[in-house]
Amino acid sequence: NENGEVDAAPESNESEYLSPVTVGGQSLNLDFDTGSADFWMFSSSMPLSQSQGHSTFNASKSSTWSVYKGASWEISYGDGSSASGTVGFDTVDIGGATVTSQAVELATGVSGSFTSDVNNDGLVGLGFSSINTIQPQQQKTFFENIMDDLEQPVFTADLEDNATGSYNFGTIDPSEYTGDIHFTAVDKSNGFWEFASDTYTVGGNKSQCQTCSPAIADTGTSLVLVDDDVAAAYYGQVSSAVYDSSQGGYTYNCTESLPTFGIAIGSDYTATLQGADITFAQIDSQTCFGGIQGNSGGGIQIMGDILLKQFFAVFDGGNETFGVAEK
Ligand SMILES: Cc1cc(CN)n(C)n1
């Protein structure tokens, strides 16, 4: 089998997790993103003004590289960042799991936030290829390419709080979690690991949703973005909380103890966050920015790293399910 395991190292501000990937013999640190389906890297054919400080992939130095003639890609993400470029195929090795002809996208241009995030050399999309942006023909993700060669058609994410976690392809390591894994069915029709989430709790009190947007498990998003009525209900229980449009979200006094927040993972399990695990950033001597924010009516609820790092997450491509376990 082709199983593989790599570290997932948190960026300084825990805004993302980076993992080492070898492409055509060249190693880069990439952000594994279950919320998109493009595998792209900073490349030597970018203006230096955009790639300064990054590791870049140099296709001319890879003996296994082949160009996908005439192909291109262009992607924009929920945070307003974007990238675009050209396409080829190469051997990709993630912790020993190897795909010999993975569609690899080379950036010729990226938006400012990618340039300034010097630790991030690109993304490994682990969503479904129906949202891959390569033209004229969409290409499969690394996981879709390797799934049938794995011991089990799964990958797991053990993201940690202020510590290095891991991604594992092909096995569910019992040492990485406790108790049961609570699975729910995934609807992949929008290209995401998407599932129903119709109830939530604040301070242990359960409420039925009003908007009830489906949720996605998104390792590439830092925050938990819930329907606006849910965010308002949560921060309504935080006495110093205000919606600060200059910060783009709810802020509160860092000394305030926050209530727990729970979100349904399908119909049988509520993933509960402790109040102490909900703050995303301190923005001045007294003010904190919440890790739970509204989705501005976006129509999906995004379960990002603030939640995922408190659990062991299983992405099952065989059963098309998503599961979480405590750890
Ligand atoms: C670069 C990037 C990836 C994601 C999540 N899919 N976001 C919000 N930004």
PDB file of all heavy atoms in Angstrom, residues 33 35 77 79 81 114 123 218 220-221, ligand 1:
ATOM      1  N   ASP A  33      -5.540  21.731   2.335  1.00  0.00           N
ATOM      2  CA  ASP A  33      -6.805  22.466   2.381  1.00  0.00           C
ATOM      3  C   ASP A  33      -7.973  21.605   1.905  1.00  0.00           C
ATOM      4  O   ASP A  33      -8.181  21.437   0.698  1.00  0.00           O
ATOM      5  CB  ASP A  33      -6.674  23.722   1.495  1.00  0.00           C
ATOM      6  CG  ASP A  33      -7.969  24.519   1.452  1.00  0.00           C
ATOM      7  OD1 ASP A  33      -8.822  24.293   2.337  1.00  0.00           O
ATOM      8  OD2 ASP A  33      -8.126  25.344   0.535  1.00  0.00           O
ATOM      9  N   GLY A  35     -10.872  22.392   1.882  1.00  0.00           N
ATOM     10  CA  GLY A  35     -11.912  23.268   1.345  1.00  0.00           C
ATOM     11  C   GLY A  35     -11.646  23.734  -0.071  1.00  0.00           C
ATOM     12  O   GLY A  35     -12.324  24.656  -0.555  1.00  0.00           O
ATOM     13  N   TYR A  77     -10.116  32.388  -3.060  1.00  0.00           N
ATOM     14  CA  TYR A  77     -10.545  31.726  -1.828  1.00  0.00           C
ATOM     15  C   TYR A  77     -11.468  32.637  -1.027  1.00  0.00           C
ATOM     16  O   TYR A  77     -11.544  33.839  -1.304  1.00  0.00           O
ATOM     17  CB  TYR A  77      -9.312  31.356  -1.003  1.00  0.00           C
ATOM     18  CG  TYR A  77      -8.398  30.376  -1.694  1.00  0.00           C
ATOM     19  CD1 TYR A  77      -7.267  30.809  -2.384  1.00  0.00           C
ATOM     20  CD2 TYR A  77      -8.664  29.006  -1.687  1.00  0.00           C
ATOM     21  CE1 TYR A  77      -6.431  29.918  -3.039  1.00  0.00           C
ATOM     22  CE2 TYR A  77      -7.827  28.105  -2.331  1.00  0.00           C
ATOM     23  CZ  TYR A  77      -6.714  28.567  -3.004  1.00  0.00           C
ATOM     24  OH  TYR A  77      -5.881  27.686  -3.651  1.00  0.00           O
ATOM     25  N   ASP A  79     -11.200  33.996   1.669  1.00  0.00           N
ATOM     26  CA  ASP A  79     -10.610  35.132   2.405  1.00  0.00           C
ATOM     27  C   ASP A  79     -10.155  36.230   1.446  1.00  0.00           C
ATOM     28  O   ASP A  79      -9.433  37.146   1.840  1.00  0.00           O
ATOM     29  CB  ASP A  79      -9.436  34.643   3.258  1.00  0.00           C
ATOM     30  CG  ASP A  79      -8.363  33.968   2.403  1.00  0.00           C
ATOM     31  OD1 ASP A  79      -8.532  33.929   1.161  1.00  0.00           O
ATOM     32  OD2 ASP A  79      -7.378  33.477   2.957  1.00  0.00           O
ATOM     33  N   SER A  81      -8.075  35.915  -1.017  1.00  0.00           N
ATOM     34  CA  SER A  81      -6.778  35.662  -1.645  1.00  0.00           C
ATOM     35  C   SER A  81      -6.987  34.960  -2.986  1.00  0.00           C
ATOM     36  O   SER A  81      -8.053  34.373  -3.232  1.00  0.00           O
ATOM     37  CB  SER A  81      -5.900  34.800  -0.734  1.00  0.00           C
ATOM     38  OG  SER A  81      -6.530  33.546  -0.490  1.00  0.00           O
ATOM     39  N   PHE A 114      -0.630  35.947  -0.033  1.00  0.00           N
ATOM     40  CA  PHE A 114       0.233  34.760  -0.210  1.00  0.00           C
ATOM     41  C   PHE A 114       1.704  35.178  -0.187  1.00  0.00           C
ATOM     42  O   PHE A 114       2.539  34.533   0.430  1.00  0.00           O
ATOM     43  CB  PHE A 114      -0.097  34.055  -1.524  1.00  0.00           C
ATOM     44  CG  PHE A 114      -1.329  33.194  -1.465  1.00  0.00           C
ATOM     45  CD1 PHE A 114      -2.394  33.426  -2.315  1.00  0.00           C
ATOM     46  CD2 PHE A 114      -1.429  32.151  -0.556  1.00  0.00           C
ATOM     47  CE1 PHE A 114      -3.536  32.637  -2.267  1.00  0.00           C
ATOM     48  CE2 PHE A 114      -2.565  31.355  -0.496  1.00  0.00           C
ATOM     49  CZ  PHE A 114      -3.624  31.612  -1.362  1.00  0.00           C
ATOM     50  N   LEU A 123      -0.627  25.277  -1.805  1.00  0.00           N
ATOM     51  CA  LEU A 123      -1.705  24.506  -1.200  1.00  0.00           C
ATOM     52  C   LEU A 123      -1.846  23.119  -1.815  1.00  0.00           C
ATOM     53  O   LEU A 123      -1.595  22.950  -3.021  1.00  0.00           O
ATOM     54  CB  LEU A 123      -3.041  25.239  -1.391  1.00  0.00           C
ATOM     55  CG  LEU A 123      -3.478  26.160  -0.258  1.00  0.00           C
ATOM     56  CD1 LEU A 123      -2.608  27.408  -0.222  1.00  0.00           C
ATOM     57  CD2 LEU A 123      -4.928  26.546  -0.376  1.00  0.00           C
ATOM     58  N   ASP A 218     -13.143  22.291   6.833  1.00  0.00           N
ATOM     59  CA  ASP A 218     -12.202  23.035   5.990  1.00  0.00           C
ATOM     60  C   ASP A 218     -10.899  23.324   6.733  1.00  0.00           C
ATOM     61  O   ASP A 218     -10.790  24.333   7.454  1.00  0.00           O
ATOM     62  CB  ASP A 218     -12.855  24.348   5.527  1.00  0.00           C
ATOM     63  CG  ASP A 218     -11.983  25.101   4.550  1.00  0.00           C
ATOM     64  OD1 ASP A 218     -10.819  24.663   4.323  1.00  0.00           O
ATOM     65  OD2 ASP A 218     -12.450  26.114   3.995  1.00  0.00           O
ATOM     66  N   GLY A 220      -8.294  24.475   5.642  1.00  0.00           N
ATOM     67  CA  GLY A 220      -7.613  25.667   5.130  1.00  0.00           C
ATOM     68  C   GLY A 220      -8.181  26.974   5.643  1.00  0.00           C
ATOM     69  O   GLY A 220      -7.673  28.049   5.310  1.00  0.00           O
ATOM     70  N   THR A 221      -9.266  26.900   6.427  1.00  0.00           N
ATOM     71  CA  THR A 221      -9.838  28.113   7.020  1.00  0.00           C
ATOM     72  C   THR A 221      -9.461  28.146   8.492  1.00  0.00           C
ATOM     73  O   THR A 221      -9.535  27.114   9.166  1.00  0.00           O
ATOM     74  CB  THR A 221     -11.374  28.106   6.859  1.00  0.00           C
ATOM     75  OG1 THR A 221     -11.698  28.354   5.481  1.00  0.00           O
ATOM     76  CG2 THR A 221     -12.031  29.199   7.712  1.00  0.00           C
TER      77      THR A 221
HETATM   78  C1  LIG B   1      -5.869  30.138   0.891  1.00  0.00           C
HETATM   79  C2  LIG B   1      -7.170  29.798   1.515  1.00  0.00           C
HETATM   80  C3  LIG B   1      -7.744  28.521   1.613  1.00  0.00           C
HETATM   81  C4  LIG B   1      -8.954  28.707   2.285  1.00  0.00           C
HETATM   82  C5  LIG B   1      -9.962  27.676   2.681  1.00  0.00           C
HETATM   83  N1  LIG B   1     -10.368  26.797   1.677  1.00  0.00           N
HETATM   84  N2  LIG B   1      -9.066  30.025   2.562  1.00  0.00           N
HETATM   85  C6  LIG B   1     -10.161  30.691   3.267  1.00  0.00           C
HETATM   86  N3  LIG B   1      -7.966  30.696   2.098  1.00  0.00           N
END
